[in-house]
Amino acid sequence: MDFNMKKLASDAGIFFTRAVQFTEEKFGQAEKTELDAHFENLLARADSTKNWTEKILRQTEVLLQPNPSARVEEFLYEKLDRKVPSRVTNGELLAQYMADAASELGPTTPYGKTLIKVAEAEKQLGAAERDFIHTASISFLTPLRNFLEGDWKTISKERRLLQNRRLDLDACKARLKKAKAAEAKATCEGDLWNDEVDKAEQELRVAQTEFDRQAEVTRLLLEGISSTHVNHLRCLHEFVKSQTTYYAQCYRHMLDLQKQLGSSQGAIFPGTFVGTTEPASPPLSSTSPTTAAATMPVVPSVASLAPPGEASLCLEEVAPPASGTRKARVLYDYEAADSSELALLADELITVYSLPGMDPDWLIGERGNKKGKVPVTYLELLS
């Protein structure tokens, strides 16, 4: 008990001495030991790294999980060392709603069939998003969080200890300065003040040794920030890689969906051209579908010009009608499925016309001496 009381009193005395020294420094009444310029640069770089790492971490969390309530819930689970429950993504939830709507409104209707196709694509997008969130959390967020909760806490602890050692050192310098000033004034009590000066010098040597040792420990930790930057750089590359994979998957899923919808849109709106990428765009002509269909030239069908099995050959031999051909701009790239189709490149201009008996989803397209079927959903009618 006596030992604890003595230690408590000693700690209180040290705390009081440091508080006095700190206060006098703030008011300019005491000298302060300055760190060298290189050390100050290391401190500034460490602070900047910590601040920007926090901002990048928080904003990446917002990117991966925009819902603030969900972020708070995940944070609480992590602090309680409990597994975060699996959460349905927005895409997967939308897919479920669309599938349920198709089931209730009629899965065999055009609207119901389209809902089912879009629901499947949204489900795939949701699964891709889930994989991206999981990969980004492990490869990017976790290393940043480990730095803030591990390395930075160690650096902060050693910096606080260095600050205390500096206050002790400057307090010893102040005591020695006062002792020497008193010794110079006192002539009859020289031996007494000599002992005070010797004691102050001894305390100063000990304080200087402890300060130098702590400064070296802190310096080594601060220089380790360079290794932290290298590690974060590697993690950043992993994040970009996972994000690239995610968006590539999304593009592929939506391109497949677009092709599926393109094969069915003409059957729903027969006799019309797709003029824009807007799904709800009005027809290019104000005439009725019957009138619009009548404007296309009537020529013999491909099937009537050749026996079965030779349609692709005769397609090349069929001449375009003298009138009724129209120019169209290609909206998207299209890869021909077989020799009867014409491959398309986005933004190119081709000549199109229709043949009686053709699938309303398709037209005949010509580019130079090449000819083939083209999907109407990939075209914008120009003239």
Side-chain angles (χ1 to χ4, degrees):
M1 185 65 180
D2 293 340
F3 172 78
N4 292 335
M5 289 299 297
K6 289 180 179 179
K7 185 177 185 301
L8 181 62
S10 175
D11 292 342
I14 293 175
F15 176 79
F16 178 76
T17 302
R18 292 171 179 171
V20 171
Q21 177 66 27
F22 182 80
T23 304
E24 291 179 349
E25 289 177 358
K26 289 299 181 181
F27 285 98
Q29 299 175 358
E31 296 181 359
K32 176 181 176 181
T33 299
E34 299 293 341
L35 301 171
D36 61 82
H38 176 63
F39 201 98
E40 291 290 352
N41 290 334
L42 291 177
L43 289 173
R45 186 176 67 155
D47 289 334
S48 181
T49 300
K50 180 257 185 181
N51 293 334
W52 284 112
T53 300
E54 282 183 334
K55 292 181 180 180
I56 293 173
L57 174 64
R58 299 293 174 257
Q59 191 57 38
T60 305
E61 290 176 340
V62 172
L63 173 68
L64 299 181
Q65 178 50 266
N67 189 340
S69 300
R71 293 200 302 273
V72 172
E73 181 181 350
E74 293 174 358
F75 174 78
L76 293 177
Y77 273 103
E78 290 177 358
K79 290 302 179 182
L80 295 175
D81 292 331
R82 297 179 60 183
K83 182 179 180 181
V84 179
S86 178
R87 190 185 304 276
V88 178
T89 63
N90 293 329
E92 292 172 326
L93 187 60
L94 177 60
Q96 184 62 47
Y97 288 164
M98 287 184 171
D100 293 345
S103 177
E104 183 171 338
L105 299 177
T108 59
T109 63
Y111 183 42
K113 291 180 180 178
T114 303
L115 279 173
I116 292 175
K117 292 179 181 179
V118 177
E120 181 60 29
E122 293 295 337
K123 183 178 179 181
Q124 293 174 333
L125 293 178
E129 181 184 1
R130 183 191 301 276
D131 293 340
F132 168 58
I133 293 175
H134 176 72
T135 303
S137 297
I138 294 177
S139 62
F140 190 60
L141 291 185
T142 299
L144 298 186
R145 194 176 291 114
N146 288 342
F147 165 72
L148 294 174
E149 297 178 356
D151 295 349
W152 181 252
K153 286 187 176 180
T154 302
I155 292 174
S156 299
K157 177 183 177 182
E158 297 300 331
R159 287 178 66 176
R160 288 193 298 268
L161 189 56
L162 177 62
Q163 173 73 353
N164 291 336
R165 294 289 182 262
R166 187 196 62 76
L167 290 173
D168 294 341
L169 175 62
D170 289 336
C172 290
K173 289 181 178 179
R175 282 197 299 270
L176 178 59
K177 184 177 181 180
K178 291 178 181 179
K180 287 184 176 180
E183 181 186 28
K185 291 181 179 180
T187 56
C188 59
E189 299 179 358
D191 293 339
L192 176 61
W193 285 107
N194 284 338
D195 292 341
E196 290 295 329
V197 171
D198 292 341
K199 181 180 178 181
E201 290 178 345
Q202 177 62 27
E203 292 176 350
L204 177 60
R205 284 192 292 270
V206 173
Q208 184 70 54
T209 301
E210 292 180 350
F211 172 78
D212 292 341
R213 183 186 300 113
Q214 185 59 38
E216 184 62 24
V217 171
T218 307
R219 184 192 301 272
L220 292 176
L221 290 175
L222 293 175
E223 290 176 346
I225 292 294
S226 298
S227 299
T228 299
H229 287 181
V230 173
N231 183 42
H232 288 183
L233 174 62
R234 181 171 59 252
C235 296
L236 185 60
H237 279 281
E238 291 296 327
F239 175 70
V240 172
K241 180 180 178 181
S242 63
Q243 199 170 28
T244 302
T245 302
Y246 167 60
Y247 285 118
Q249 290 175 342
C250 292
Y251 174 77
R252 185 167 60 253
H253 294 323
M254 295 310 297
L255 192 61
D256 293 341
L257 174 63
Q258 188 181 54
K259 289 182 179 180
Q260 294 178 37
L261 297 182
S263 63
S264 60
Q265 187 172 351
I268 300 174
F269 307 104
T272 61
F273 286 90
V274 176
T276 66
T277 58
E278 300 280 338
S281 59
L284 292 175
S285 175
S286 60
T287 59
S288 65
T290 304
T291 305
T295 60
M296 302 303 297
V298 178
V299 297
S301 65
V302 175
S304 65
L305 296 177
E310 298 182 6
S312 61
L313 176 63
C314 292
L315 181 64
E316 297 294 334
E317 299 175 355
V318 173
S323 62
T325 59
R326 315 183 81 165
K327 290 291 184 180
R329 184 175 70 87
V330 179
L331 298 175
Y332 319 103
D333 292 347
Y334 178 76
E335 184 177 353
D338 52 48
S339 59
S340 67
E341 297 181 5
L342 180 66
L344 303 176
L345 295 176
D347 296 327
E348 70 172 335
L349 296 178
I350 62 173
T351 302
V352 295
Y353 54 90
S354 177
L355 297 177
M358 285 186 62
D359 188 327
D361 298 339
W362 298 83
L363 293 172
I364 301 299
E366 289 189 2
R367 185 203 311 111
N369 59 354
K370 294 185 179 180
K371 182 188 306 182
K373 296 189 300 181
V374 293
V376 296
T377 53
Y378 281 66
L379 303 176
E380 177 186 1
L381 187 64
L382 297 179
S383 62

